[in-house]
Each structure stands twice: as C-alpha cells, then as structure tokens.
Amino acid sequence: MIVSDGPGAFDFIQGDNSSDPQNPFWEIVKGAITPLPPPEQIACQLPKPILLDTGYANSPYQWSPNTVDIQMLRAGNLVILVIPGELTTMAGRRLRDAVRAELISSGVVGDDAYVVIAGPANTYAHYVATKEEYAVQRYEGASTIFGQWTLDSYIDKYTSLVYYLNPSVTTTPPSDPAPQDQTSKAISLQNNLRLEQTFLNVDQVVNGQWTPVKSDSHPSTRYEWLRTSEVQFEVI
C-alpha cells in the first residue's frame, strides 16, 4: 500500500496507479519486510502498486485485520449501518442506496425507510472508496487497504443482513470466528501500555479477600507519571 497525505515525495506520490516494478530498491525492501504479494493479491489491489503486503504479514501478529465487525440496527423505519471504515461521500451513497432498496424490496421497511451510516466504529478498517475512486489512487483510494472490491463487499454483507431485521425472524446471521486477542503481543519500546488494564488498583478487604474497588479510571484516583529514561538519538 502506498499512501500520501499531500502531493508526496520522491517515489511516493498520489495518483500512482501503475503496478509495474519501479525503483529496484523498493522491490528488495518489500521482500525483506513482508512476504512478496501473490498473484491473487496483486489482482485484488490493482492498479495500486504494493510496497508492503501487510495482509500476508503475521509476525509478531497480523499487520492487517482479516475479520472486522459490522452491525445493522433498526428502530422503526430508521436503519443504522455501523461500519468500521471511513467511506467517501459517493461510497456512502451507494451503500446507503443499496441497503434502502433491499429494505423496501424485501418488505422489511416501507418506502419511508431512512438509512444512515455511523462509523468508523467497533474497529478500524481504513478507507472505503468506490472502484472509480480507487482507480485514481488519490489518498482515499490508496488508503482502501482491502482492494478495489471493498465497497462491493460491504454492500453484499449489509444487504444480506436486511433479512434479519424482520421482526418475524428469530435466527441470527452467520459470522466468521472472532479475531484473536492480540493485546499480549502489543509492542511498546518505552512503556507498558496496559491495554484493557489499569495502571493502579485500590483494593479493600472484603470477607477476608482483597478485592479491587477502584482503578485509574475512577475520578477519585490520581496518577502521577515520572519518566525515568528515554531513547537517546545521536545525529552524526
């Protein structure tokens, strides 16, 4: 993936939509850091030139998610699409229109169906551009990390969920396995980030057992941070 928030510099510029090999140096780098992209990945990402094939990089953990959360909520004629990506304006319109058409044609909601999109939420899956925007490879298209068919995939998934919004349906939609918990593999060169944990507990003896009663998130606790070391850089 090559992304530039601005005009770019040297080999990395916006609008680069050629997958032909370019600077030989980057061809060496891409193979040294991540696996070289297989043909199916190249076809999926066309016309984006792939620098780092993060979708196939798994050490020390997956570099890119292969399972993301999506949700659909209904309150009367209002349907909310909870999506983990950042949609361009046109991508949002196409997704919303497709779901609204499915709601009406399936009889789940009448012609007054009102669909809104909420996101990014639950997790982050980067940008979602239309196929036309993806082909241009400006910022949003280049940041659509799952390739040119990302929007079509979301449309397919969300329209398939419409059936389950019918009050008469009591089953739940099929789901992929939940992503692995990667918090134990999180890397911090300086500090333990204590992901989903606390830097301190206030415990109290209850029935002879020490029991946490407050954490660093409680308004009454105060945490003072003192850095005792830092990475030193030397410019030669």
Side-chain angles (χ1 to χ4, degrees):
M1 177 179 69
I2 294 179
V3 177
S4 171
D5 189 4
F10 53 99
D11 291 335
F12 304 100
I13 58 175
Q14 287 204 39
D16 184 359
N17 56 4
S18 172
S19 295
D20 296 332
Q22 299 179 32
N23 189 328
F25 172 75
W26 298 118
E27 295 298 310
I28 297 174
V29 169
K30 72 168 62 175
I33 298 179
T34 62
L36 291 174
E40 60 269 21
Q41 177 76 314
I42 295 175
C44 174
Q45 296 289 337
L46 282 175
K48 178 192 296 180
I50 300 174
L51 175 59
L52 300 179
D53 189 16
T54 59
Y56 285 78
N58 300 303
S59 180
Y61 44 75
Q62 291 179 345
W63 288 29
S64 297
N66 56 20
T67 301
V68 297
D69 296 326
I70 63 172
Q71 283 181 298
M72 183 182 293
L73 310 175
R74 177 190 173 193
N77 69 324
L78 172 65
V79 174
I80 304 173
L81 311 182
V82 184
I83 188 168
E86 297 185 64
L87 285 85
T88 64
T89 301
M90 185 53 67
R93 288 174 179 170
R94 292 182 183 178
L95 174 60
R96 185 181 60 192
D97 291 347
V99 172
R100 185 176 185 275
E102 183 67 20
L103 286 165
I104 296 173
S105 65
S106 62
V108 174
V109 183
D111 292 339
D112 61 345
Y114 193 81
V115 180
V116 298
I117 296 174
N122 295 328
T123 187
Y124 186 62
H126 295 267
Y127 279 78
V128 181
T130 66
K131 195 169 184 296
E132 295 84 353
E133 292 166 335
Y134 186 89
V136 179
Q137 282 296 291
R138 298 291 291 180
Y139 182 81
E140 293 81 2
S143 298
T144 302
I145 66 171
F146 294 108
Q148 57 183 316
W149 308 109
T150 301
L151 175 59
D152 291 334
S153 298
Y154 278 117
I155 290 175
D156 176 69
K157 288 298 182 182
Y158 279 100
T159 53
S160 70
L161 293 178
V162 166
Y163 166 80
Y164 298 94
L165 295 181
N166 194 316
S168 63
V169 176
T170 58
T171 57
T172 57
S175 177
D176 292 333
Q180 293 182 347
D181 185 353
Q182 306 285 3
T183 54
S184 63
K185 300 180 181 179
I187 295 176
S188 173
L189 299 179
Q190 284 289 293
N191 310 306
N192 182 349
L193 299 182
R194 308 290 292 175
L195 298 178
E196 303 299 328
Q197 301 176 48
T198 175
F199 282 98
L200 64 88
N201 276 328
V202 178
D203 292 0
Q204 180 180 2
V205 176
V206 178
N207 297 326
Q209 298 290 330
W210 285 100
T211 304
V213 293
K214 290 182 174 64
S215 68
D216 58 4
S217 64
H218 196 276
S220 66
T221 60
R222 179 177 177 179
Y223 190 83
E224 295 184 0
W225 182 274
L226 176 64
R227 183 181 293 277
T228 59
S229 65
E230 60 184 24
V231 175
Q232 300 292 330
F233 294 94
E234 181 178 357
V235 179
I236 300 177

